[in-house]
Amino acid sequence: MPRVVFTSNLQRHVACPECDVHGGTVAQALEAVFADAPQVRDYVLDEQGHVRRHVVVFVDGQRIADRERLTDIVTPGSEICVLQALSGG
Amino acid sequence: MSDRLFVATRKGLFTVQRRNGRWQQAPEPAFLGDPVTAVLPDARDGTLYAALNLGHFGVKMRRSKDGGKTWDEQAAPTYPPQPEGAPGAPWKLVQVWTLETGGADEPGVLWAGTIPGGLFRSQDRGATWSLQRSLWDRPERPEWSGGGYDAAGIHSICIDPRDSRSITVAVSTGGVWQSRDRGETWACRATGMRAAYMPPDRQNDPNVQDVHRMVACRSNPDVLWAQHHNAVFRSTDYASSWQEVEKPALSCFGFGVVVDPDDANIAWFVPAIKDEQRVPVGGQLAVTRTRDGGRTFDVLREGLPAAPAYDLVYRHGLDIDATGERLAIGSTTGGLWISDNRGDSWQCISAHLPPVYAVRFDA
């Protein structure tokens, strides 16, 4: 199962411990997280479902390419890191 | 007079309170480190609202029912799904720029003005918000543009104390818009304004006017004042027409304006050198006041720092309390001053706050 890890700076605002979830894409993995912790969604995605401008998502060390539909592939051994982008200050 | 002032800053929400004749800063700000873009004390039920704009994680709303001791997270306004090819700015909330209560006869009703230009209404003390599609879907709205931001924003909301259904809002940049039916229909009400930054044949277009801040007089709501990008305007007919103040003191440029709640002829401003510099005139912070509807002005500097002082006061960085006696200004360089005598003299409360976005007296 892919593992999802959130920046500790997000933990300051909302509880989001790292977790193992089902899913073959970033979208599916994050939806699985939001199903258990719906309050996390608005911190990571905007109201159009896109990754927030100053949030960055990595899969196995690579920045995801599709920030709007989150179609990047994840594998059972993947680690998805949700981090703050330095562009956000 | 109001003895408590909320100060929304780049790094948290600070509170100063007057006790035993002295202003004291609360030892701990709320939301330390987080930008607070708007704060609203609701006199109708004592609730306190704050809008945060987290650098990474978006706009968040907080509500306190105990005067700011504890805060709960509330839903933020959200834009609906953006249709393919919709003109104008992306339908994404960038900032809550202003918060206002509905009328005294509308308990729990709140209004939020936002960037990129959406007006939102809540009927349940901020638990849920709805975009006012009647204004958002106006064909003129995609023509609005950003004034200092990438997209346009609503920064001023005036609810008519005579009739809560009547709402006047100001847009940077998009003029003044008014509804008489609680937001079902809207009309642009910026006739008489002049936009010096536009090509000659567009300067009088009401929909391009860059109003920086607009306020209405509580006791005479037909009178509104507007600090505009290149002028000060005043309306005496409920925004049906606007007249330019001929000679504002120091500069026609500035952001903030407040009006005496009991005398529509008295208003205060914090002028600055116009857009290419945006610093106080002569490097000397000053408040100006008219007592005759804009014909003449006093320049008020007693208690404000001597030159050089490059404190700039943003549009919500000037407030007046309900008595009209006490005023406050907060600056981009972290200065905070309060006047107890209608601006004649000022007391420095702090010179070392984070950049101040808004000051607001407790209701």
Side-chain angles (χ1 to χ4, degrees):
Chain A
M1 297 167 74
R3 167 156 293 199
V4 184
V5 180
F6 295 93
T7 170
S8 59
N9 290 309
L10 181 51
Q11 313 269 2
R12 186 164 77 84
H13 300 288
V14 61
C16 47
E18 66 179 62
C19 52
D20 297 323
V21 295
H22 291 285
T25 65
V26 171
Q28 291 166 359
L30 289 182
E31 283 300 333
V33 173
F34 301 151
D36 285 340
Q39 69 277 14
V40 176
R41 177 190 298 272
D42 289 345
Y43 284 81
V44 178
L45 306 181
D46 63 34
E47 59 262 71
Q48 303 301 330
H50 306 163
V51 178
R52 286 194 175 279
R53 183 178 175 193
H54 297 303
V55 169
V56 63
V57 179
F58 287 86
V59 175
D60 300 327
Q62 296 297 312
R63 192 186 294 252
I64 64 167
D66 183 357
R67 293 173 56 85
E68 296 197 352
R69 294 185 300 141
L70 300 95
T71 54
D72 292 57
I73 301 296
V74 298
T75 63
S78 287
E79 182 172 84
I80 303 168
C81 293
V82 179
L83 305 176
Q84 77 272 26
L86 293 185
S87 55
Chain B
M1 288 189 277
S2 176
D3 285 337
R4 189 157 71 146
L5 178 73
F6 301 105
V7 186
T9 80
R10 175 76 177 78
K11 296 290 180 181
L13 178 64
F14 293 74
T15 304
V16 293
Q17 188 132 13
R18 190 171 175 86
R19 289 197 179 93
N20 303 319
R22 292 187 56 199
W23 287 99
Q24 296 175 333
Q25 194 172 312
E28 290 289 330
F31 320 118
L32 181 62
D34 297 329
V36 180
T37 58
V39 59
L40 174 66
D42 188 343
R44 300 169 303 179
D45 59 15
T47 307
L48 191 58
Y49 300 89
L52 280 55
N53 195 2
L54 305 180
H56 304 94
F57 307 116
V59 173
K60 308 298 169 199
M61 300 297 294
R62 301 285 189 266
R63 182 175 73 177
S64 176
K65 294 181 176 177
D66 55 13
K69 294 185 184 72
T70 61
W71 296 85
D72 298 320
E73 179 160 4
Q74 295 272 291
T78 55
Y79 284 80
Q82 181 169 4
E84 191 82 26
W91 294 24
K92 296 182 177 186
L93 180 63
V94 174
Q95 180 168 303
V96 171
W97 216 358
T98 191
L99 292 168
E100 295 291 348
T101 63
D105 58 339
E106 301 177 307
V109 170
L110 305 174
W111 293 90
T114 73
I115 301 171
L119 178 68
F120 289 82
R121 184 171 190 267
S122 173
Q123 301 185 88
D124 51 16
R125 295 180 169 80
T128 60
W129 295 90
S130 59
L131 175 65
Q132 300 300 289
R133 293 298 297 254
S134 50
L135 184 57
W136 183 250
D137 292 337
R138 291 283 307 201
E140 300 93 335
R141 195 269 307 164
E143 298 291 321
W144 296 354
S145 61
Y149 291 88
D150 289 345
I154 294 175
H155 49 66
S156 300
I157 302 170
C158 300
I159 308 299
D160 192 332
R162 301 165 299 192
D163 180 355
S164 301
R165 296 170 300 179
S166 201
I167 304 142
T168 310
V169 304
V171 188
S172 178
T173 67
V176 173
W177 289 78
Q178 191 171 70
S179 170
R180 305 287 184 99
D181 51 14
R182 198 174 275 121
E184 288 183 27
T185 60
W186 294 87
C188 192
R189 298 280 189 208
T191 300
M193 290 186 174
R194 171 184 64 86
Y197 45 85
M198 291 294 286
D201 60 346
R202 295 291 307 279
Q203 291 193 354
N204 297 320
D205 181 345
N207 200 44
V208 305
Q209 301 301 322
D210 183 12
V211 182
H212 284 181
R213 179 75 171 141
M214 179 189 70
V215 292
C217 179
R218 181 185 62 191
S219 63
N220 185 3
D222 282 348
V223 177
L224 297 108
W225 288 86
Q227 173 65 66
H228 179 282
H229 188 90
N230 55 255
V232 171
F233 294 98
R234 179 172 183 254
S235 173
T236 57
D237 55 9
Y238 203 49
S240 294
S241 67
W242 294 84
Q243 291 77 45
E244 184 167 349
V245 169
E246 288 189 5
K247 292 182 180 173
L250 299 179
S251 172
C252 60
F253 181 91
F255 290 100
V257 52
V258 292
V259 57
D260 187 315
D262 298 316
D263 186 339
N265 281 323
I266 305 178
W268 291 259
F269 305 84
V270 191
I273 299 174
K274 68 183 176 64
D275 39 347
E276 64 269 28
Q277 289 195 328
R278 303 183 184 214
V279 296
V281 178
Q284 191 170 7
L285 179 62
V287 174
T288 62
R289 178 184 61 202
T290 179
R291 291 186 284 193
D292 52 14
R295 282 191 292 278
T296 63
F297 285 83
D298 307 312
V299 177
L300 311 168
R301 290 197 170 112
E302 187 179 335
L304 298 178
Y310 294 101
D311 295 86
L312 183 67
V313 174
Y314 278 163
R315 70 199 75 221
H316 302 113
L318 166 66
D319 195 26
I320 189 167
D321 80 346
T323 69
E325 296 291 325
R326 182 167 278 164
L327 290 95
I329 53 174
S331 80
T332 55
T333 42
L336 177 67
W337 296 268
I338 294 176
S339 171
D340 285 342
N341 52 14
R342 304 165 71 78
D344 286 337
S345 63
W346 297 84
Q347 177 188 351
C348 181
I349 308 303
S350 176
H352 305 289
L353 289 169
V356 175
Y357 292 150
V359 294
R360 192 134 193 182
F361 283 107
D362 203 354

